[in-house]
Amino acid sequence: MKLRRVVLLGGAFLLVIFKFALDVVEKNVELGLMGLGLIRELLIIGSLGLLYVVIDVLASRRESTPVRKLGFVLIAMCAMILATLGLSASGVGGFDAKNQALVPLDYPSIFLASLVAIAFGIFSIIVFRLLRDLILINRKPAARRNWLIFSALLLGTSVSCLTTRPLDSSIATSILFALAILFAVMNSFRLPWIVYLTKREKLFSLACGFFLFGGFTALAVQIGSGTLLRKSLLYYSHPLHQFIQLVTIFGALYAGMAFVSTLFHLPTAEAFDRKRSEVSSLHTLSKLVTQVFDFNELVDNVTSMTLQVVGASSCWLEIITGAGEEDAPAAGEDASYGVQVAAMKNITQEEIDILVSPERRGIRDSVVKDRKAIVVDDIERDPRFVQLKKHRGMAGSLVVVPLVSHTGLAGILYAAKKESFGFVRDDVDAISAFADQATVAIENSRLIRESLEKERLYREMLVAQEMQKRLLPQHVPVAPTIDLDAISTPAFEVGGDYYDFMELGDGRIGIVVGDVSGKGVSAAFYMSEMKGIFQALGRICSSPKEFMVRANEALAGSIDKHSFVSLIYAILDPVSGRLTVARAGHCPMLHVSGENVAYVRPNGLGMGLSRGPTFDDAIQEEVIPLGEGDVCVLYTDGVTEARCGDDEFGYERLMAAARSARGKNAAGIKEEILATVSRFTEHRANDDDLTLVVLKWNGPDRRG
Amino acid sequence: MSEFKIGQREVENVNILELKGYLDAHTAPKLEEAFQNLLKSQRFRIVVNCRDLSYISSAGLGVFMAFIEDVRNGKGDIKLTNMSPKVYNVFDLLGFPLLYEIFKDEQEAVTRFFDRAK
């Protein structure tokens, strides 16, 4: 890139030197060749063309603000004015008009004319290029079109005097010149960049416009009237003079328009600045809300931005907490509520308490009740602030905006100014906008907190689930005459179903299945208590009834009055096949003996429903002599009450399933019953805890 | 599915609660509230008509247990009537007939309060 620039500049320089040599030669020898004049002009055009490419590259590479561009043009113009002054003070011979052409009187005139013309050429190109940037700052099609037409007319006017002598002029040139001026005027209305300037920039642009207008006008006059500058430029190149003249006039027009337009924009500059800072603050905030999860940092930002944008003297944000509850008070509710200052700027907690005293919650109450922003224009005359009589000068005006989320009132944002009538409508709108952002932030942080809490509880439940699984037997007892299998699946993470086995000392085996009323965690606690009771009492109670009675006593002390446990307990003598069953309010046991299927339902009462004789007398035992291949199914109501729409699985279907599966081993029967239930519920997850224990008696032990 | 309603009326100074729909863990608090209201106004003679009760879970049964003691201490009772066979089976399995008087007919239960009084 650098090499290219050097080549381009070198080329331009060579062309200029050539031109200069030709000028010197022409002064000495009257060549009078028509072609020579054309060659000189082409050298100039070529040279400036190369310079344009260099300047264009430089200008487009640097991102610069409109104000900087104006400043740059101003500096360049000062240089040109100095050059003009220098030229007129140089005391060179100048030029003579002869036959519509200019003849230099001495060599310094040629030299200086060349220098000045090239300098003005570069200057014009820079001005042309920078003004183009300003005009095309937002590329509307019309702006582009007008600019292109102006550029074409500018070049056309210049080229049209390629062959005319310096002091001559053609009609075509004049027409093109007039059109170019017309489009210069049209283009000078393109000042879209002024609107977006800050107030300071506008003031600077105003000054720039003023001086640029003056400078350009002065230069245009110099170039247009018969001064040495005009002669020098004309002598050097007629098209170049034309180009420089047009650009200067355009510069004067544009600077003038910029000056006037900036002047008109000045009164709204402050409001514009404010809006802009408001918008950018909101933008920053909304980005923060999604990126920063630190609640304190967010509300701190909200308050400091509010302070900055509306120019309040102090600002603070309160979080509303329900009366001991998580949820915020509902609209119109006359609930008591707590407030907690989450962020404050330029104010202390004591001052806040004086301004909106915690006991007399006047203004705060109205905001909480109505959920509408309140503007207090003059605090000292407002009846809600009588307590401030003693604290004059604390605040003159106050804006109070509620933070309303979809779940209720999240908080209140306050902004105060020292002077009364300090807030205009725009301020209130801005504060409301900030309040909305703060609401989102508060909501977000609440949701995150909740989801973290949920995550924690979920993990706790997984631990509980794991622990409960370990409360259930890990192995079924093995004896030559029996075949046992069991399964239990809770509806939720943990459940209230219980089953257990116990090998009693005399070779008999106890099988217990229970169901705690209710579901979930509370049921799980009683379930684990049942486990303890069974493990403690099972071995020392010789009959199911005895166990039931003592277990009921043990349980009565801890169970609350609307909970109970249903239990079925069977003791099998694996030698004789005698099965003794007692039932404490539990589902009856299913007994399959060949084709005969029946429910075994000794009388009984749920545990925890009553204590003492009522319970003890209610429990009865039933003894069933099992035959070879007999199957007993113990279960909880999760099996019989498995649902499909309004229909329940029920006792009949359980009987049928057990009967058809009776030929299989215990595991096979269990699987078939589960599969039948699952088919019935169309494979939905069970909505109640479900337990199934299958016992198969293989007949007396024949090994001995 | 968990549609549950309670109707309330008074017959000869006896408070009748008519249960309708599914009484389970979700709907049990409604029944609890109804009992609490009766107890608060010292009305202890209660008949629960289960004609339109289509399902009762263990949590539903628990509600009766929670209040029976207070009701009987207030010299009243909770009597149950008009159960469908399915609902009766649930009460019966747990042994509720040992603890509560269960009648086929509501009027029977109401008059029973006055038999006692004599």
Side-chain angles (χ1 to χ4, degrees), chain A residues 293-309:
Chain A
F293 295 121
D294 183 346
F295 175 69
N296 289 329
E297 191 186 330
L298 279 173
V299 289
D300 197 63
N301 270 305
V302 168
T303 45
S304 59
M305 284 180 181
T306 309
L307 203 67
Q308 211 183 324
V309 171

Side-chain angles (χ1 to χ4, degrees), chain A residues 564 566 583-588 601-607 609 618 637 641 651, chain B residues 4 17 19 21-24 31 35 47-66 68 72 78-103:
Chain A
F564 49 85
S566 75
R583 193 182 65 88
H586 197 75
C587 305
R601 184 178 171 165
N603 283 338
L605 184 60
M607 285 197 187
L609 293 178
D637 56 9
E641 289 180 10
Y651 294 95
Chain B
F4 177 70
L17 294 181
L19 310 189
Y22 282 81
L23 180 54
D24 56 19
L31 182 59
F35 274 123
V47 169
V48 179
N49 188 325
C50 305
R51 191 177 51 228
D52 296 320
L53 185 66
S54 41
Y55 172 83
I56 184 163
S57 78
S58 55
L61 294 166
V63 179
F64 295 101
M65 295 311 299
I68 188 68
R72 287 187 182 153
I78 300 175
K79 298 184 195 299
L80 304 161
T81 72
N82 300 75
M83 287 181 190
S84 71
K86 208 175 86 183
V87 169
Y88 179 78
N89 186 45
V90 177
F91 278 92
D92 188 38
L93 268 183
L94 260 176
F96 262 54
L98 292 170
L99 309 171
Y100 295 86
E101 286 188 293
I102 300 178
F103 298 93

Side-chain angles (χ1 to χ4, degrees), chain A residues 390-658:
Chain A
K390 280 176 261 162
H391 305 272
R392 274 184 186 282
M394 256 187 78
S397 46
L398 184 71
V399 175
V400 189
V401 180
L403 273 54
V404 185
S405 74
H406 60 98
T407 50
L409 188 66
I412 304 175
L413 182 63
Y414 299 78
K417 281 190 183 179
K418 289 262 181 255
E419 64 273 22
S420 50
F421 292 94
F423 293 97
V424 293
R425 235 193 68 186
D426 258 10
D427 293 330
V428 182
D429 289 346
I431 297 169
S432 300
F434 285 118
D436 288 343
Q437 289 297 328
T439 313
V440 175
I442 293 170
E443 278 293 288
N444 267 0
S445 89
R446 190 178 59 81
L447 288 174
I448 288 166
R449 225 175 27 238
E450 273 178 14
S451 77
L452 285 178
E453 180 64 13
K454 250 185 205 155
E455 176 70 20
R456 190 184 70 78
L457 286 176
Y458 176 68
R459 288 185 188 287
E460 293 280 304
M461 286 308 286
L462 286 187
V463 173
Q465 184 174 33
E466 209 41 53
M467 307 235 352
Q468 190 172 44
K469 268 187 201 153
R470 267 183 252 148
L471 290 180
L472 295 173
Q474 304 300 304
H475 308 284
V476 292
V478 181
T481 57
I482 61 163
D483 180 13
L484 260 173
D485 204 2
I487 187 173
S488 182
T489 35
F492 306 121
E493 285 80 3
V494 292
D497 272 14
Y498 171 60
Y499 75 90
D500 211 348
F501 307 112
M502 186 169 285
E503 290 174 65
L504 305 171
D506 50 5
R508 294 185 304 160
I509 293 170
I511 303 166
V512 70
V513 172
D515 181 0
V516 178
S517 69
K519 278 177 238 176
V521 177
S522 69
F525 274 106
Y526 290 126
M527 176 268 177
S528 71
E529 190 176 359
M530 246 355 274
K531 163 95 181 177
I533 291 173
F534 181 65
Q535 292 294 330
L537 297 177
R539 222 175 293 271
I540 57 172
C541 296
S542 60
S543 77
K545 173 165 178 165
E546 189 189 348
F547 169 74
M548 293 292 194
V549 169
R550 295 180 67 169
N552 189 47
E553 279 167 18
L555 195 64
S558 64
I559 201 158
D560 72 89
K561 54 184 178 179
H562 60 266
S563 294
F564 49 85
V565 181
S566 75
L567 211 67
I568 187 161
Y569 186 29
I571 294 179
L572 173 71
D573 181 341
V575 180
S576 65
R578 263 167 55 100
L579 187 73
T580 314
V581 184
R583 193 182 65 88
H586 197 75
C587 305
M589 185 188 84
L590 184 63
H591 176 214
V592 184
S593 179
E595 276 298 306
N596 297 321
V597 187
Y599 283 104
V600 178
R601 184 178 171 165
N603 283 338
L605 184 60
M607 285 197 187
L609 293 178
S610 179
R611 58 176 98 172
T614 317
F615 180 85
D616 303 352
D617 295 346
I619 300 288
Q620 289 179 2
E621 280 180 357
E622 201 167 320
V623 178
I624 302 145
L626 294 182
E628 198 174 322
D630 276 12
V631 174
C632 294
V633 182
L634 296 93
Y635 55 90
T636 57
D637 56 9
V639 176
T640 47
E641 289 180 10
R643 309 196 69 83
C644 172
D646 272 353
D647 201 9
E648 277 182 3
F649 187 71
Y651 294 95
E652 297 300 321
R653 288 192 181 88
L654 179 59
M655 280 167 94

Side-chain angles (χ1 to χ4, degrees), chain A residues 52-186:
Chain A
Y52 181 82
V53 174
V54 176
I55 290 169
D56 187 54
V57 168
L58 286 177
S60 50
R61 193 173 302 165
R62 193 167 297 167
E63 274 297 317
S64 164
T65 62
V67 171
R68 277 171 163 235
K69 284 173 181 155
L70 284 183
F72 190 74
V73 172
L74 191 61
I75 290 168
M77 205 191 60
C78 289
M80 288 307 109
I81 289 172
L82 284 178
T84 312
L85 292 175
L87 182 68
S88 45
S90 66
V92 292
F95 304 88
D96 247 357
K98 194 198 272 177
N99 195 13
Q100 298 296 330
L102 288 160
V103 178
L105 295 175
D106 51 8
Y107 291 115
S109 298
I110 301 178
F111 180 69
L112 278 183
S114 300
L115 268 186
V116 167
I118 291 301
F120 265 94
I122 294 172
F123 171 66
S124 303
I125 288 170
I126 291 173
V127 170
F128 177 78
R129 183 59 177 72
L130 292 181
L131 290 187
R132 172 185 170 274
D133 280 354
L134 288 180
I135 285 166
L136 298 181
I137 214 160
N138 53 358
R139 308 228 160 166
K140 286 185 182 152
R144 258 184 108 83
R145 196 190 59 218
N146 284 349
W147 177 255
L148 282 176
I149 292 174
F150 172 66
S151 305
L153 286 169
L154 184 58
L155 290 177
T157 316
S158 304
V159 172
S160 74
C161 41
L162 202 58
T163 53
T164 41
R165 284 167 176 273
L167 298 178
D168 218 358
S169 73
S170 66
I171 293 179
T173 306
S174 305
I175 292 172
L176 285 169
F177 186 85
L179 283 173
I181 295 293
L182 179 71
F183 271 86
V185 171
M186 282 173 71

Side-chain angles (χ1 to χ4, degrees), chain A residues 319-335:
Chain A
I319 303 295
I320 299 279
T321 47
E325 281 163 359
E326 271 280 314
D327 44 343
E333 198 177 307
D334 191 27

